Amino acid sequence: MFSDHNEFKEMFLKKLEMMYGKTFPESTAQDQFFTLGHLIREYISMNWIHTNEQYRFNKQKQVYYLSIEFLLGRLLRQNLMNLGIYEVVDQGLKDLGIDLSDIEEIEHDAGLGNGGLGRLAACFLDSLASLNLPGHGYGIRYKHGLFEQRIVNGFQMELPEQWLRHGHVWEVRKSDLTVEVPFWGKVESFTENEVLKFRHVDAELVSAVPYDMPVVGHETSTVNTLRLWSAEPAAYKAGKDLMKYKRDTEAITEFLYPDDTHDEGKILRLKQQYFLVSASIKSIIDSYIYRYGDLKDLHEYVSIHINDTHPVLAIPELMRVLVDEYEYDWEEAWGITTKTFGYTNHTTLSEALEKWPVRIFQPLLPRIYMIVNEINERFCKELWIEYPGEWKRIEDMAIISHGVVKMAHLAIVGSFSVNGVAKIHTEILKQREMNLFYQYYPDKFNSKTNGITHRRWLLNSNPALSELITSGIGNEWIRQPEKLVNLGKYRTDAAFLEDLYKVKQQNKERLARRIFESNGMKVDVNSIFDIQVKRLHAYKRQLLNVLHILHLYNRCVEDPHFDFHPRTFIFGAKASPGYFYAKKIIKLIHSVADLVNDHPLVKDKIKVVFLENYRVSLAEEIIPAADLSQQISTASKEASGTGNMKFMMNGALTLGTLDGANIEILEQVGEDNIFIFGLTAEEVMNYQKQGGYYAMEYFHHDPRIKKVLNQLINDSLPDADDHFETIYDSLLGENDQFFVLRDFDSYARIQEEAGKAYENREGWSRMCLHNIANSGYFSSDRTIEEYSREIWKIVQGSLMR
């Protein structure tokens, strides 16, 4: 399309004039961004078309990844890098007096996710395309995403994300592929040719309109597709309240994770989930029929993967299509279905395993409920044959029991593969949360440790470090991240270690500027940047971190000679709008910050920073600047984590528990290059099973704990009022469910150890280098190769550019 920066410049100017009817000097930065975006999307189009044609021509098996979230972040820089034209575009814009980095800042993060679940899905799509594998994503085009977080007087406030206010340059609306999704109504049975059949009548129809986005592989000709569905009104049916119908319809794709503390929110969430899978299955089947005609071999050419339980209704939906629309008998349809679906579980928290009340499920999705009920009846009969008389076992394994539909059970029964996302997570599923299913289906269970795309999280977000790595070991690591291990030869190279330290300092200076711009606070770049950024949840234990900061404050005040290396504690987190306990912790962080940051005896030793509206683009600035990465979840509670991998890859040292992928990071780097503390998963589970933990004992026997907890309720903290009594009560009155007090002493000791280690500059840099060198294992390329080989059975398609 263009081969050098002069040709690009000419095309850019022509495109801008055609799009906006104005000359370049009259254009705004936003005009320039959208012009560039459209030009690049056109550049992508030929390969996008070629990729889809090749898949059709070669009749390749394809995987379709269904996820309620795809946390993409900004795409301009990534697309330019993957296409190999970043330098050409950068130079062309420079000639016009435009700084490409300024243009990049105009792009909004796509509001399509919240945390690790959605970011994992985005990384997987990148790896699929970069490995030339035929894999596509299906999700929901949320108009306002989760929410935009604002902090007002220390409290989280939620505003609608406006990421679509000016349109989204990377998407293509495909109105001709719109499908209709039914809700409510009733099911009628009838007999045709002596066969009992069913039809869904009097349904309220919603139009699912697809918006396609190209997923560009890194320096390949492969461009896969992310299809996002938007809910729009279908043809109006007389007799209904038109405005209510319009509001109800548009609400389906307005926000991610509506509050489900009430029935209205539960109905909306269930609507979202069925909307996603109904439209996606229709799309997948139509594409398959166009190519192959007969669905009996569907599983030979299609693998559908369920990312957590949100899309699990795809299983009964495929059964509905096969039985009702294509007239397969139940047994044959079930055989096809159970060979088509794979399921990834993302939690060990039993309360996080979705369950839907039958009283809501049945009227909203009457035909789907009938099918789920039939699956359950047949499954329970199987169990009775295998375990005659074991009523309790069958009750515990049933898909429907006690008036609820258990989505994880449906996912396991209807899939040929069930995987956890870290070794310990999979073992906990097998031995505890899903043990009965593991006993019955031992061959279904497997482990696939999560990964991150090193192209986004190292090459794109940390160019200075990437250049240093390439200067040392060449650029093969970009396509083969396992070759990062070759950095090990520089462990004793003082000059290289000094260069690594300088890169870290540059990144810290960049983040310090961001903190000053956003918070008006100056931070010391020579302090330890001690960072915890992730979704705000009690089990992730931001509370442990902030209580320890309060303890350090107390030591500084009580002993002016208390000496330790200065720390800048940086938080970033969103709390779910209805999760009031998590919101209290955000307020606590801000109250402690107000106490600490201006205290004459403390302000030069400790700073506390909360960066609002944590998102991918902000993470890309925070993570390269981190010295310490806090991964301190209660052992056994975090399925894997991917933030831990991003920090490790950027040369931060992990301070964490033996939980999730922290265990595998420990295996990769050794105990001398990581800071581990706290209870093990086995110890936590033993406490939960057998009891024996009494939080009040730690309160009475550890004066540090007693002091910081009393500070929550005795007006020691600025603007405390009674905001923190809930936290105090959860730790003492409710016996500290996540073992914050039990791990406090161990955490304080490992923090002290980490601070002393930082004093040895060369030794610290050596540990950082060792982490980077051993981070290649955690590339999502490795994870996707495992999925492709062991679960999906897909092979490479397009060739490298």
Side-chain angles (χ1 to χ4, degrees), residues 269-281:
R269 278 209 187 191
L270 193 54
K271 270 188 171 183
Q272 282 186 337
Q273 294 182 8
Y274 184 65
F275 175 81
L276 165 62
V277 303
S278 176
S280 300
I281 293 296

Side-chain angles (χ1 to χ4, degrees), residues 651-663:
L653 301 187
T654 303
L655 188 152
T657 53
L658 287 171
D659 197 26
N662 289 355
I663 294 172

Side-chain angles (χ1 to χ4, degrees), residues 423 485 648 661-671 673 770-771 773-778:
K423 289 178 182 176
V485 74
M648 174 196 188
N662 289 355
I663 294 172
E664 286 157 272
I665 292 176
L666 171 62
E667 291 172 357
Q668 293 292 317
V669 304
E671 60 185 14
N673 296 285
H770 188 71
N771 271 262
N774 288 277
S775 66
Y777 173 79
F778 296 104

Side-chain angles (χ1 to χ4, degrees), residues 13 45 50 53 65 115 145 164 174 222 268 325 377 409 429 434 442 468 511 524 535 601 620 638 696 718 737 754:
L13 291 173
S45 293
H50 173 73
E53 286 180 342
Y65 197 81
L164 285 172
K174 298 285 186 72
T222 297
L268 184 52
E325 297 183 14
E377 291 290 332
H409 294 197
L429 293 181
M434 297 178 176
L468 179 63
L511 181 58
D524 179 8
R535 180 167 56 91
L601 296 177
E620 290 172 326
E638 185 74 85
M696 194 65 77
Q737 179 184 356

